[in-house]
Amino acid sequence: MDKIRAHLLPFSVGKEEHINAKDYFRITKEEDGYETALFGRKLVGQLIHTSRSTEGHIYTKEEEEIDDMDDMEYMDEDEKSSVWKKRETTIDEFILWKKDTAPSQHDPRKIALKNWIDLSKSIHEVIHLD
């Protein structure tokens, strides 16, 4: 399990910082996938490998610095701008989690991933002008 570094959860977590995952995110390897509980909810996961031509990247959300603290004081949460920073870490596999049951072949996230990769290959193909 040490090799798996990325997880795609079926919900967002309102926390943008490191957590002590080794203590709080205990994953059990099952015959056909993985199981865990997070925030009291059972999650069932499936290992997804990216294709050889695909390289996954990790991005982290960072708050943009505002020069004038007085302006920041009156801003709503939606007005505060965030920046997504690309990290050096790359992934070639991740665990796709779903609440209560394992992700099926019809899971929209699996379909989107496959379709996006196919589309990406198509738009990057060389077009010969003969």
Side-chain angles (χ1 to χ4, degrees), residues 14 17-18 20 23 35-37 41 47 49 58 67 69-70 76 97 102-105 110 129-130:
E17 59 189 53
H18 293 285
N20 193 352
D23 288 340
E35 281 191 17
T36 191
R41 187 70 189 246
L47 185 63
H49 296 278
I58 304 293
D67 294 336
M69 292 304 282
D70 291 333
D76 291 337
W97 294 99
S104 72
Q105 294 296 37
K110 286 174 79 171
L129 301 173
D130 294 330

Side-chain angles (χ1 to χ4, degrees), residues 1-128:
M1 271 315 298
D2 292 334
K3 185 177 164 191
I4 307 295
R5 296 182 309 215
H7 302 270
L8 182 55
L9 299 170
F11 51 82
S12 63
V13 178
K15 193 173 194 162
E16 295 290 337
E17 59 189 53
H18 293 285
I19 62 167
N20 193 352
K22 288 180 182 176
D23 288 340
Y24 298 109
F25 195 51
R26 302 246 184 226
I27 299 170
T28 306
K29 175 78 171 111
E30 299 294 325
E31 186 175 308
D32 57 345
Y34 301 90
E35 281 191 17
T36 191
L38 192 60
F39 301 117
R41 187 70 189 246
K42 178 183 174 182
L43 298 176
V44 182
Q46 185 177 66
L47 185 63
I48 305 291
H49 296 278
T50 60
S51 67
R52 289 183 193 177
S53 61
T54 304
E55 186 176 76
H57 292 273
I58 304 293
Y59 286 80
T60 55
K61 185 176 172 183
E62 296 180 0
E63 295 294 323
E64 203 170 51
E65 288 188 32
I66 299 172
D67 294 336
D68 190 356
M69 292 304 282
D70 291 333
D71 289 343
M72 187 174 160
E73 191 175 317
Y74 297 104
M75 291 177 132
D76 291 337
E77 274 304 309
D78 295 339
E79 293 178 314
K80 294 177 184 174
S81 59
S82 301
V83 179
W84 288 93
K85 299 273 184 168
K86 183 177 174 182
R87 299 296 169 208
E88 295 298 318
T89 306
T90 60
I91 59 170
D92 59 1
E93 63 186 10
F94 62 94
I95 297 179
L96 177 66
W97 294 99
K98 186 174 178 197
K99 296 175 188 173
D100 301 321
T101 61
S104 72
Q105 294 296 37
H106 304 292
D107 188 292
R109 297 166 299 163
K110 286 174 79 171
I111 293 169
L113 184 62
K114 182 191 178 315
N115 290 344
W116 176 252
I117 291 170
D118 291 344
L119 177 64
S120 176
K121 286 177 187 174
S122 296
I123 65 172
H124 288 95
E125 281 182 6
V126 176
I127 300 173
H128 298 284

